[in-house]
Amino acid sequence: MPSSIASSPRILGVAVPTPLRKLFDYRPCHPGPASGWQPGLRVRVPLGRREVVGIVIECRDTTDFEFSALKPVTACLDSEPLPADWLWLCHFTARYYQHALGDTLQQALPVLLRQGRPLEARTRERWRLTAAGRDADAAQLGRARRQAALLELLRQHPRGVIGSVISAQGFNRPQLKGLAEKGLAECHEEPLTGSPIPPGGNLLAEPALVLNREQTTALAELHQELDHYQACLLQGVTGSGKTEVYLQLIEAVIAKGRQALMLVPEIGLTPQTLARFRRRFRVPVVALHSGLTDAERLDAWEAARAGRAPIIIGTRSAVFTPLARPGIIVIDEEHDNSFKQQEGLRYHARDLAIARAHRDDIPVVLGSATPSLESLVQARSGHYRHLHLTRRTSHHAPARLELIDLRGRPTQGGLIPPSIDAIGSALDGGGQVLVFINRRGFAPTLACHACGWLAECHHCDARMTLHRQPPRLICHHCERQERLPEICPECASVDLRPLGTGTERSEESLTALFPKVPVYRIDRDSTRRKDAFEHTLNEVRRGEPCLLIGTQMLAKGHHLPHVTLVVVVNADAGLYASDFRALEHSAQLLIQVAGRAGRAERPGRVLVQTLHPDDPHLRLLAESGYDALAETLLEERRIAALPPYRYMALLRFESPRESDAASLAGAAAGALRTWLGQRDLAVNCLGPAPAPMERRQNRYHMHLMLSAAKRSALHVATAFIIDWLERSSEARRVRWSIDIDPQTLS
Ligand code: ADP
Ligand code: ZN
Ligand code: ZN
């Protein structure tokens, strides 16, 4: 990419927020930025009838357009370019995912910067005494008694007191001004977020734990990798103390004056995780998550860029946080699906983190109890260093999965009698019980027992879920809602019954079965209110016997020390799914759920109900554990030529008209096959075929799958087909997108 740095170029190639994969040429404005024109400066530019914020990518002297027809940039918004590491990552992302650079830059930028706000942090006032103030005697302030009190307050805090604290103590501005005018106190502005790492000082607010043998070994090995790029897979069973290893490793990184970026799954950035880090460190721990306001997000981004944020913890998009002095990237629960963005720019934060670490020559630590097959392959081939924590710090071995045959047994709330008995004894023994059921709502659907009618969504190829709180049929794919029918719309029978079990139904049955203990349901519906989830978890952590019914919201990341029994209502969803990753993902989920049992003093039990107790994969997982299953799955993937042994790209087409989507997908496949036929490029093209759920929200979805043994070959072929689609006139009527390394085929 020609991006010469010329201070007075004739042409600026600007990336603007559009899905078009090209730069727009403009003439510079006068006067330009004081430091000259460079890539990375934000500019305001005319685009059609709008004005947008773009980013200068190229400074050059030539253009393919008529020079005089080019419009000038309206204004330059920055005095210095956006951070170079950030810009590099955006270029890399756009190239790797074959996404428009303009849109990539937008997505990677805090909203306020997208809108053209200056890149500066909000500040606050800090007041402290001057030398004269420190020597002053309160008596010399005479009748100004409040000023004297203020003087005393400031005297107690040699490092100063922030303005809001002073007003909270009942002082006002005239009193502060009074001291300042007498030369006794002074004020300076400091950024609201972050502070520099104190050199040589004690970084810890609370002592680190004494590591056990395995942790010590892992940490020692990780220490050896601190000064260069190395990916390390820290595989440790739930509760084996991975987080403690991260904490001590990060301590070593910030002791060198470097910054640590830790990515956690969406569900994992809990107040407890943050609290644990903030308790440990004396330095600021800056969080980046969806709950922040735009201004807070900009503050955090700016603090990281300026180096005032020694530790940054965030979810997926935090991978785009610039770092002044990068030291390490940690990815907790690296197998988690929330690291992959499933729409628009479909990036995987783990993969970008690895690319970024490589460029910055720093280590990246991937932690998981159940690593992705992608990472396991890298560890086996020696590209990643593989470290193990096999024991729980509580000394209880992780509970084994006990498979329970569901066939032909009566169920109540999805549970068969032996499971209900086990719940009763666990509660009698003073334990807590977690019932895992990955369906929210009352029942997966409503059925007519007279004619077999099922409640289907009119906009999707899917059934509508029955909800009781409030009573409604809801499509979980398009959110469409309907009133509950009183009679069957097909045969007018009144014999309509719920089919299957969701969390609400389990809650109802278990409340009736165990009236003496509290029953808490945790799913997206029950936790819609902010803090509801935290509130319930706090109740649960008090340790009284109770029943928890939850979806995967409960399965991940939460420390529930009093749970002694976990019951999985149905383990079968992933066993025979068409998606080749389904089995891997459901094994990971099962192990995560099982990991909730027996985290503290008590050992745990995990009952897994299934209609397929003889399924070889399920048995392998139950009898030999995740590693053994992963081994088998890898072998199956190798034989079937699937990732991680092959690279994939998925083209998705969607349109309100079935024929439009099918016709474009067919034409694209034809063009691609012809093109491939003319060159020696080992790329497979599969399809087009209807998506597993063909109709969603009244739109028809078609897929075209490309795969190759070499990433470079796949890249060339996808570049060709994107170019072809961008030129195709038919493509204007059909929405299409490309997904590099797709995580799901839906
Ligand atoms: P993981 O991240 O692997 O699930 P954690 O780091 O959260 O594990 O550790 C699980 C529990 O064990 C936590 O309560 C933690 O405080 C405790 N723990 C971790 N390491 C040690 C240790 N070396 N000694 C004592 N307790 C530890
Ligand atoms: Zn009917
Ligand atoms: Zn629907």
Side-chain angles (χ1 to χ4, degrees), residues 401 403-404 570-572 575-576 583 586-587 590 608-625 629:
L401 308 181
L403 301 184
I404 310 273
N570 190 318
D572 300 338
L575 292 183
Y576 302 99
L583 206 49
S586 60
L590 273 178
V608 178
Q609 300 190 145
T610 171
L611 288 168
H612 305 279
D614 298 321
D615 175 84
H617 289 116
L618 197 53
R619 285 190 55 179
L620 190 61
L621 182 67
E623 286 161 16
S624 312
L629 178 65

Side-chain angles (χ1 to χ4, degrees), residues 486-717:
E486 278 163 19
I487 54 167
C488 171
E490 297 271 313
C491 74
S493 159
V494 290
D495 193 6
L496 296 177
R497 300 187 210 169
L499 188 71
T501 307
T503 46
E504 289 179 8
R505 191 176 200 177
S506 241
E507 178 187 23
E508 189 179 289
S509 307
L510 288 167
T511 309
L513 282 166
F514 301 100
K516 293 209 192 88
V517 298
V519 176
Y520 303 108
R521 174 166 60 91
I522 297 191
D523 57 28
R524 202 136 58 79
D525 302 313
S526 73
T527 55
R528 249 176 243 283
R529 225 190 60 236
K530 223 182 158 200
D531 306 334
F533 191 20
E534 272 312 303
H535 180 77
T536 309
L537 285 180
N538 286 337
E539 283 296 301
V540 173
R541 287 205 187 89
R542 294 200 340 224
E544 298 298 312
C546 69
L547 267 158
L548 282 152
I549 299 163
T551 55
Q552 54 175 320
M553 282 188 79
L554 254 193
K556 302 180 180 180
H558 301 287
H559 190 47
L560 303 168
H562 307 286
V563 169
T564 56
L565 172 68
V566 170
V567 182
V568 177
V569 170
N570 190 318
D572 300 338
L575 292 183
Y576 302 99
S578 59
D579 200 313
F580 72 89
R581 284 187 216 269
L583 206 49
E584 175 189 353
H585 290 155
S586 60
Q588 287 163 343
L589 189 54
L590 273 178
I591 299 292
Q592 296 284 326
V593 182
R596 300 305 112 203
R599 297 259 288 177
E601 308 85 47
R602 304 145 178 264
R605 249 188 111 184
V606 182
L607 307 183
V608 178
Q609 300 190 145
T610 171
L611 288 168
H612 305 279
D614 298 321
D615 175 84
H617 289 116
L618 197 53
R619 285 190 55 179
L620 190 61
L621 182 67
E623 286 161 16
S624 312
Y626 181 79
D627 277 335
L629 178 65
E631 186 95 9
T632 302
L633 292 180
L634 276 174
E635 188 52 19
E636 291 173 5
R637 299 264 189 100
R638 200 180 56 75
I639 291 166
L642 286 168
Y645 296 102
R646 220 174 148 81
Y647 302 104
M648 276 187 170
L650 179 61
L651 271 160
R652 292 183 172 89
F653 302 86
E654 57 164 288
S655 156
R657 286 181 45 182
E658 194 173 5
S659 55
D660 283 350
S663 144
L664 181 64
L672 185 62
R673 290 200 169 99
T674 309
W675 184 82
L676 286 171
Q678 290 158 358
R679 39 189 59 67
D680 187 19
L681 208 57
V683 175
N684 259 352
C685 173
L686 201 71
M693 188 184 297
E694 186 177 6
R695 194 169 50 114
R696 216 159 55 225
Q697 255 177 315
N698 260 344
R699 301 177 68 87
Y700 291 84
H701 296 249
M702 296 292 292
H703 284 176
L704 185 61
M705 176 72 80
L706 277 64
S707 76
K710 281 214 180 92
R711 199 179 268 297
S712 53
L714 185 66
H715 192 89
V716 178

Side-chain angles (χ1 to χ4, degrees), residues 35 47 84 208 316 371 420 476 483 616 685 694 717 728:
S35 56
L47 183 72
R316 178 175 67 228
I420 295 172
H476 286 184
R483 291 225 323 261
C685 173
E694 186 177 6
S728 154

